[in-house]
Amino acid sequence: MKKILISFLLVVLTVLPSGAQTLQGVVSLNDSTPCPYATVYIASINRGVAANEKGEYMLDELPAGPLKVEYSCMGQQSVRRELTLVKGETLVHNEALSEKLMLLPPAIVTPDGESPAHYVLRHVWDKAKENRARIDSWQAVVKYDAGMNDMDLIFKIIPKKYMILLKTAISVAGFRKIFNLALDHPSLKAKVSMVRTYAKGKVTDSEQKITECNEQLTADEQKTLYSNKLLIEPDIFDEVYDDYEDWGRHGSARDKFQLVGSYEQDGKMIDVLEYISTRTTEREKVNEQGEKVKETKVRSTVSRLHVVEDEWGILKAEKKGDYIQRSTECRDLGGGIYMPISSSSRLTLPTIPADSLPGMIDQAEKELKDPKDINKSEQKMLERFLKQLKEHRGHDVRMETFFAYDIKYRYFKLK
């Protein structure tokens, strides 16, 4: 997603809409560790949600009675359970997933010696082009919880090595307003709902509303919250089939993917494609003896696609790195067209070591003694930040943000 760095400015929690019958719980692995961003999906009503980083999930506004619920996660065996919801009650169901057995496929003979992974991806995007042309219209309800980070980092005292991330995030076109909103409302948490419609080649949003908010927002501030398209591409189809994704038609990593395995699901063969990139960095540090030494770190990013072989659609997409994690779950909504029903992203910045805090505290105190170069909102935030720094004295500071959204299609028509 082009706007992934914007999540630096947002703390968006797992989707928690309200309703009469609710299903919630925790998805974990067999060793009891959480399964982050697992997908919970109910095919009969076409509803799904991504769990948060702790494996916690919640779905409400569900019908009473028996429901078949599917629990899935990258690299784990999907599980289907028939659960019964009682009218007006919340059902808590925890699920443990087992590791999936990956079956290496036989050698694929491709024309002109084309790599198997490139062969699969080429067919995916050829099919995506056909499917986009076949889509007549669709309408979906998108629900998400939106919030602003407490702005723990302020321009005046943020370490230089983190500054480029922050500057990149707020400089993306159209997002400076959302940053200013964050300064004015540093603890904003708001539940948002909207209806997104695609028809005649155009995408429009309607029925936008804030269903819950912990702060009073002006009409302009509410408009800012709506208009920044915080979570999804204007066309939901582009969430996984955008030309400029790493795995897209023009993606920089497209030709570097490898076909690493396959497995069967619902009678269909799923091919797994993977691309791993690594980067080595060096920095100086002082060891316990007071000597300056060089520390080498190797960082890896794994991009993985699960492709439905007979339909050439992306069933799941995942990108995991040291700082960014993103996953998207898709479903066949008719005629082999795979559209996202849930997605989640997380940005984790490098940890600020405890020995850096004293210098940051000193710098913050200097800025507050002569605050002529900052406005009142920034001064207030600086005071909050200084207080938090002092509370965290002696400890490393780790910052991460994430968001998830849930899509429910009202209708979906093909030409």
Side-chain angles (χ1 to χ4, degrees):
M1 178 183 282
K2 302 184 189 77
K3 304 181 182 71
I4 182 64
L5 286 179
I6 299 307
S7 58
F8 184 83
L9 302 179
L10 309 174
V11 174
V12 184
L13 304 178
T14 308
V15 177
L16 302 175
S18 60
Q21 290 75 237
T22 302
L23 175 63
Q24 66 182 51
V26 177
V27 184
S28 61
L29 306 179
N30 272 339
D31 60 2
S32 298
T33 58
C35 192
Y37 310 112
T39 299
V40 183
Y41 179 69
I42 304 174
S44 61
I45 59 174
N46 196 31
R47 287 285 308 282
V49 69
N52 64 15
E53 79 280 7
K54 298 179 182 178
E56 301 166 340
Y57 73 93
M58 178 181 286
L59 273 168
D60 68 359
E61 296 183 352
L62 300 177
L67 290 173
K68 292 183 179 180
V69 185
E70 179 182 341
Y71 297 86
S72 61
C73 190
M74 290 290 182
Q76 308 301 315
Q77 185 66 48
S78 297
V79 173
R80 292 174 179 80
R81 304 291 185 196
E82 184 166 316
L83 306 175
T84 301
L85 275 66
V86 179
K87 187 174 182 180
E89 294 186 5
T90 296
L91 175 63
V92 178
H93 179 80
N94 300 327
E95 188 63 59
L97 301 179
S98 302
E99 185 175 0
K100 182 177 294 176
L101 178 63
M102 299 297 292
L103 304 173
L104 290 179
I108 296 179
V109 179
T110 58
D112 302 320
E114 185 178 16
S115 77
H118 191 213
Y119 179 80
V120 171
L121 282 176
R122 182 166 57 83
H123 279 77
V124 165
W125 260 264
D126 288 345
K127 190 69 174 179
K129 185 177 180 180
E130 294 176 15
N131 283 341
R132 184 187 293 276
R134 293 172 56 214
I135 296 174
D136 178 74
S137 59
W138 54 258
Q139 188 179 79
V141 179
V142 181
K143 295 185 177 181
Y144 55 92
D145 284 4
M148 305 305 143
N149 197 345
D150 280 338
M151 302 306 294
D152 293 332
L153 303 177
I154 300 300
F155 288 111
K156 296 291 184 180
I157 53 178
I158 184 173
K160 290 182 179 179
K161 60 184 177 181
Y162 304 134
M163 192 58 140
I164 187 171
L165 284 175
L166 185 56
K167 282 187 174 181
T168 302
I170 68 168
S171 64
V172 174
F175 283 86
R176 183 166 294 278
K177 289 183 178 179
I178 207 76
F179 176 70
N180 292 334
L181 182 60
L183 287 177
D184 292 334
H185 301 278
S187 299
L188 177 65
K189 300 292 184 297
K191 292 186 177 182
V192 181
S193 175
M194 70 176 179
V195 174
R196 178 155 289 182
T197 303
Y198 174 89
K200 296 181 179 179
K202 294 183 179 180
V203 177
T204 57
D205 294 335
S206 61
E207 300 181 32
Q208 294 173 315
K209 59 183 177 180
I210 297 176
T211 58
E212 185 178 319
C213 188
N214 65 339
E215 294 197 32
Q216 190 70 33
L217 299 181
T218 65
D220 286 343
E221 289 172 337
Q222 291 185 35
K223 185 177 179 181
T224 296
L225 195 59
Y226 295 143
S227 63
N228 274 274
K229 305 293 188 295
L230 303 181
L231 302 180
I232 57 178
E233 296 290 339
D235 184 341
I236 296 176
F237 194 92
D238 284 341
E239 179 68 17
V240 287
Y241 294 105
D242 182 63
D243 284 352
Y244 296 95
E245 289 282 10
D246 280 349
W247 48 79
R249 182 180 289 109
H250 304 294
S252 59
R254 181 196 61 182
D255 298 329
K256 300 177 183 178
F257 275 86
Q258 300 293 322
L259 182 61
V260 296
S262 62
Y263 60 93
E264 187 177 342
Q265 180 172 303
D266 297 332
K268 296 181 179 180
M269 209 61 184
I270 313 298
D271 291 327
V272 182
L273 282 64
E274 187 174 86
Y275 165 57
I276 301 177
S277 61
T278 59
R279 190 179 73 167
T280 302
T281 58
E282 287 188 352
R283 71 181 183 97
E284 284 191 350
K285 62 176 295 186
V286 179
N287 61 19
E288 296 179 355
Q289 290 74 38
E291 303 170 329
K292 287 186 177 181
V293 296
K294 286 188 176 180
E295 181 183 62
T296 301
K297 284 190 175 182
V298 178
R299 304 190 185 279
S300 299
T301 299
V302 179
S303 297
R304 186 176 296 135
L305 297 176
H306 292 226
V307 177
V308 184
E309 192 175 70
D310 59 342
E311 300 286 2
W312 299 109
I314 295 178
L315 182 66
K316 299 178 184 178
E318 182 184 46
K319 187 173 184 177
K320 281 189 175 183
D322 295 280
Y323 301 143
I324 295 175
Q325 290 193 23
R326 179 192 172 206
S327 62
T328 303
E329 176 90 0
C330 300
R331 291 287 162 177
D332 183 358
L333 296 185
I337 296 180
Y338 282 78
M339 297 278 278
I341 53 95
S342 65
S343 184
S344 60
S345 295
R346 181 178 71 180
L347 174 65
T348 303
L349 292 181
T351 299
I352 298 179
D355 56 12
S356 297
L357 296 188
M360 297 173 70
I361 291 173
D362 290 343
Q363 184 63 33
E365 290 176 336
K366 290 179 182 178
E367 293 291 338
L368 286 174
K369 286 180 181 179
D370 186 17
K372 61 183 180 181
D373 294 330
I374 57 178
N375 59 38
K376 290 183 178 180
S377 294
E378 292 172 330
Q379 182 177 348
K380 184 178 180 181
M381 288 303 306
L382 197 53
E383 291 170 351
R384 286 167 54 87
F385 178 73
L386 180 59
K387 180 181 178 181
Q388 292 175 4
L389 280 180
K390 290 181 177 180
E391 290 175 352
H392 286 86
R393 197 194 300 265
H395 301 280
D396 291 345
V397 177
R398 186 168 181 262
M399 299 157 289
E400 70 174 10
T401 66
F402 73 94
F403 65 73
Y405 67 81
D406 173 26
I407 302 174
K408 179 182 179 181
Y409 291 94
R410 285 180 169 175
Y411 66 75
F412 191 91
K413 294 182 181 180
L414 303 180
K415 293 179 181 178

